[in-house]
Amino acid sequence: MDKRFAGKVAIVTGGSRGIGEAIVRRLASEGARVYATYISNPERAKNIQDELTKDGQSVRFIQADVSNEQSVKELIDEVVKEVGRIDVLVNNAGITRDTLLMRMSETDWDDVLDTNLKGAFLTCKSVCRTMMSQRKGRIINIGSIVGINGNPGQANYCASKAGLIGLTKSLAKELSSRNILVNCIAPGFVETDMTDKLTEEQRAGFSTQIPLKRAAKSEEIASVVAFFVSDDSSYITGQVLCVDGGLAM
Ligand code: NAP
């Protein structure tokens, strides 16, 4: 693959599985120096790191909890200390705690908002100074179409993803004068551990509603991240791009 991201430093949160892993693989294969995070899965993170390093790519996993300010600060400080710059931040780490609102606990609400929305706030805040002094940067937030359309049983998750859209647009405006572009990708239904939890009936229901009649592969989200990292998207900021097989139309 073309090394069009050679010399770029990228941070990908939640890079140890699913969509995040595909993003790590894609950016690294195009020459980026990738720092990825995991929280609970050190073995899996190590296996990916070893495999890609053996292949001559630059990937380093660091344990970090995006919902914790100190942990995020240590992550960003370590990257800046090691390489002195950050070109790309991909806020991908996310969780679900699905249940109907009537049964949703305060913890279900807080955990999801803390990881999916506060996590992105903390990482954006931490990378901002470095990107501003470089007068260059790309921030890509992984939202969801349910942040636009809503979904029963996911009030916490949908609220977090809707919040990410507001964060994306506000930061796009705040940071535009420093040439930092901020965009959001809103996937539909992607085959990962997160959607493994769905019943066969739920999956079949989803698939019939998707105009393209199938779930996305993680790589199909990663390729859109690569677009937002590349010079091909140099005049796009503050946008939400649905990558959903037409589901949200
Ligand atoms: P996944 O397979 O469940 O992977 C989640 C990743 O996030 C893992 O790498 C996990 O680390 C990490 N993580 C979880 N909590 C964290 C925390 N507090 N701090 C740092 N890392 C944390 O999820 P996915 O399906 O790939 O989803 C990735 C993103 O896409 C999420 O933001 C999700 O909301 C969004 N999305 C997914 C779909 C879909 O259909 N799958 C659709 C729309 C949007 P460990 O491996 O260490 O646990």
Side-chain angles (χ1 to χ4, degrees), residues 13-20 37-42 44 64-67 91-96 115-116 142-145 157 161 186-195 197 218:
T13 67
S16 47
R17 283 188 280 135
I19 295 170
T37 75
Y38 66 95
I39 185 163
S40 64
N41 218 329
R44 188 161 176 129
D65 177 358
V66 295
S67 67
N91 281 311
N92 166 78
I95 59 167
T96 52
T115 301
N116 299 7
I142 306 298
S144 169
I145 57 153
Y157 183 76
K161 296 299 187 180
F189 182 27
V190 189
E191 292 284 2
T192 69
D193 290 353
M194 188 176 271
T195 46
K197 295 174 202 154
S218 291

Side-chain angles (χ1 to χ4, degrees), residues 88-164:
V88 177
L89 166 67
V90 184
N91 281 311
N92 166 78
I95 59 167
T96 52
R97 297 281 182 271
D98 296 352
T99 190
L100 294 173
L101 186 80
M102 294 283 285
R103 289 192 210 118
M104 191 175 285
S105 67
E106 191 177 351
T107 311
D108 291 334
W109 177 270
D110 286 345
D111 286 353
V112 170
L113 270 289
D114 282 356
T115 301
N116 299 7
L117 183 56
K118 189 176 109 180
F121 154 69
L122 292 173
T123 53
C124 287
K125 192 173 170 197
S126 279
V127 302
C128 238
R129 193 178 300 275
T130 305
M131 284 186 177
M132 284 169 83
S133 65
Q134 291 166 188
R135 297 193 166 270
K136 202 177 173 192
R138 300 286 173 100
I139 297 176
I140 298 128
N141 295 321
I142 306 298
S144 169
I145 57 153
V146 300
I148 301 167
N149 286 1
N151 204 23
Q154 290 198 306
N156 49 359
Y157 183 76
C158 298
S160 72
K161 296 299 187 180
L164 263 186

Side-chain angles (χ1 to χ4, degrees), residues 1-8 27-32 55-57:
M1 198 168 259
D2 235 17
K3 300 289 181 199
R4 57 181 178 155
F5 302 147
K8 285 192 194 301
L27 299 185
S29 72
E30 294 205 54
D55 195 41
Q57 297 172 31

Side-chain angles (χ1 to χ4, degrees), residues 1-8 23-34 55-57 223 226-227 229-232:
M1 198 168 259
D2 235 17
K3 300 289 181 199
R4 57 181 178 155
F5 302 147
K8 285 192 194 301
I23 295 168
V24 168
R25 288 178 181 276
R26 177 65 187 252
L27 299 185
S29 72
E30 294 205 54
R33 184 163 182 168
V34 180
D55 195 41
Q57 297 172 31
S223 61
F227 166 69
V229 171
S230 77
D231 291 341
D232 292 340

Side-chain angles (χ1 to χ4, degrees), residues 211-229:
L212 290 185
K213 297 285 173 237
R214 65 174 178 87
K217 294 187 179 69
S218 291
E219 291 73 16
E220 292 174 301
I221 311 302
S223 61
V224 182
V225 172
F227 166 69
F228 278 124
V229 171

